[in-house]
Amino acid sequence: MSSHSAVEREDDEAVEAGLDALTSPQAAPPDKRARFVGRVLPPVIALVVIGCLWQALWAAAFWPEYQLPAPAAVLDQIVQQVRSGQIVGFLWVSVHRAVIGFAVSVVVAVPLGLLIANVPPVRRAIGPLISGLQSLPSVAWVPAGVLWFGLTDYAIYFVVLLGAVPSIANGLVSGVDQIPPIFHRVGLVIGATRLTAVRHVLLPAALPGFLAGLKQGWAFSWRSLMAAELIATSPQLGVGLGQVLHNGMSLSDMSLVMAAILLIFFVGVGIELALFRPLERSVLRARGLGGGL
Amino acid sequence: MTSTLEPLSTATDYAVRLTSVSKTFGHGESAVTAVDRVDLTVRPREFVCLLGASGCGKSTLLNLIGGLERPTAGEVELTTGRPAVMFQEAALLPWLTAAQNVELPLRLAGLDRRARRDRAEQLLGLVRLVGMGRKRPHELSGGMRQRVALARALACTSNDNALLLMDEPFSALDAITRDVLQAELLRVWRETGTAVVFVTHDVREAVRLGQRVVLLSSRPGRVMQEWSVAGDADIVDDINTRLREVISSHVVA
């Protein structure tokens, strides 16, 4: 066979460079305006439509005022809370509880999830239990929490933990399960030990599933917290959004109830949109995934 | 290619030597022998292609050499460091850039940041991906990913007396890209002087790349015949004929 000449090599190089140019995936430059229109407009339109329907229903007076207050009355209720500064107190009490509860849940759930994912007997023993707990409404734990811990913050954190830990642990387990098997072999052949393989290959590979679990865990801690605050009310506990809801019910003040529901909704969604969505998006984008986000 | 096969000069003149290696999966009646008493010697800087139909234990043989599996019987001896492995898919870590993928084995080997960067740059240059280091795997074409994987595999080896194990690395690529990458691999092999064990089921690929082609039978995998490639055109037909015979012998009666 002829020896590999310099001309031949240059030829190869040119062909290869041409192939690279032809076959590299092309990314279209992002169109900011189109993105804004496509992303922000639909939910805004939906909100406006819902608001209009509400206004129309109220104007038609199908239900008495104490059952369906006017949108303006609910808005006025929120504005009053903002003016008096009380809203800061409600939000602070609930949000700081949710954040602490969520943080503790993460600390508990991560080792638990890793244990379930990596130790088969543990998975067989408590895997189904953890999945089952996830479908148990956490409000069911409120009576037990109150009886065990009294009307204290501990009872509330207990409920939040039982709500959030299973979904975070499950997210981590499915993240680990979804690691392509080839990555285990990659870890071996590039010279990773068991420990460095976990640090450099397996944990990063499980990150998308883990993040999805975190996002769901946040949603679960927030709704568990509201359930706990709504039922476990006492002067010592301070007034969170759940207690505002409770007060609205006691006072038969529907506009207060609706204002509280709106606040609960917007805090929950707001934290997801402000924190978890961008985090998830940047992780998935870096891997060439998540076109829909 | 200029090399002609000479008999092994000394007993230690090998990169890898398999002596009567067998591998059986399972126990008792359900046991399957994937590899049966295989003797194989690969000399330093030699390019050997293992050829066979599916089920011939090619991949198992590669795993045995790479230390990913232990032989049931026989002995696998290596004079090289830990062999580098390339799979059919690039298997790059999608959260790392191309350069970081190449750097990871160096990082695990304990090189400092600067040495890692220099070596990764050098290796990416070797596979003609200068300036692509910052790209993520999904931003690269299949052929480019496989070249990054080659650079990463080379990063696993020490400079001299290395062994590269390749498990059908180009079989998932289109014909044009495969052709270019075969030329690329030969160039890299000449420049680095690593020994290569290349598994394939493509006779033409085996003859184009290998200095020696080893035909394996299927279930269990045994060495059927060996050819040294000295550039004659008939050898492809010759190997093809033999491969067809070997496959035909597996017709269930």
Side-chain angles (χ1 to χ4, degrees), chain B residues 72-252:
Chain B
T72 316
E75 207 178 350
V76 178
E77 294 164 283
L78 293 172
T79 61
T80 63
R82 184 165 38 78
V85 183
M86 239 181 110
F87 305 105
Q88 184 175 350
E89 44 189 308
L92 300 176
L93 305 180
W95 56 92
L96 299 178
T97 63
Q100 287 169 332
N101 266 288
V102 178
E103 278 184 39
L104 188 54
L106 304 167
R107 187 170 175 186
L108 293 167
L111 266 70
D112 66 57
R113 188 183 294 264
R114 204 188 160 139
R116 290 201 307 254
R117 224 185 30 215
D118 292 349
R119 178 91 177 113
E121 222 176 86
Q122 182 200 344
L123 286 168
L124 284 175
L126 184 66
V127 296
R128 287 180 178 146
L129 285 172
V130 177
M132 294 291 182
R134 298 170 71 95
K135 297 261 188 196
R136 306 262 178 182
H138 72 271
E139 296 169 311
L140 301 172
S141 69
M144 291 157 97
R145 271 180 238 159
Q146 218 35 301
R147 272 144 66 202
V148 176
L150 177 59
R152 179 177 69 183
L154 292 171
C156 301
T157 65
S158 52
N159 261 328
D160 44 329
N161 193 22
L163 175 63
L164 182 56
L165 307 175
M166 308 182 86
D167 193 355
E168 302 189 21
F170 307 145
S171 60
L173 300 173
D174 65 86
I176 303 174
T177 306
R178 191 184 314 143
D179 177 60
V180 169
L181 282 198
Q182 285 168 351
E184 188 78 10
L185 174 62
L186 284 174
R187 186 179 60 75
V188 168
W189 167 64
R190 287 195 195 97
E191 281 178 32
T192 55
T194 166
V196 180
V197 178
F198 189 104
V199 159
T200 180
H201 53 242
D202 180 346
V203 177
R204 286 179 185 286
E205 184 173 60
V207 171
R208 178 177 183 190
L209 294 175
Q211 296 173 298
R212 193 148 58 95
V213 177
V214 176
L215 178 66
L216 298 170
S217 68
S218 301
R219 289 193 204 114
R222 287 193 188 115
V223 174
M224 298 305 285
Q225 198 170 334
E226 277 190 39
W227 291 264
S228 60
V229 180
D232 60 300
D234 304 337
I235 198 171
V236 171
D237 294 334
D238 190 20
I239 298 176
N240 251 328
T241 310
R242 191 78 179 94
L243 177 61
R244 291 166 68 95
E245 280 170 24
V246 169
I247 295 174
S248 307
S249 71
H250 285 281
V251 176
V252 180

Side-chain angles (χ1 to χ4, degrees), chain A residues 113 115 194 199 240 260 284:
Chain A
L115 214 63
R194 249 186 107 92
R199 153 86 180 78
L284 292 181

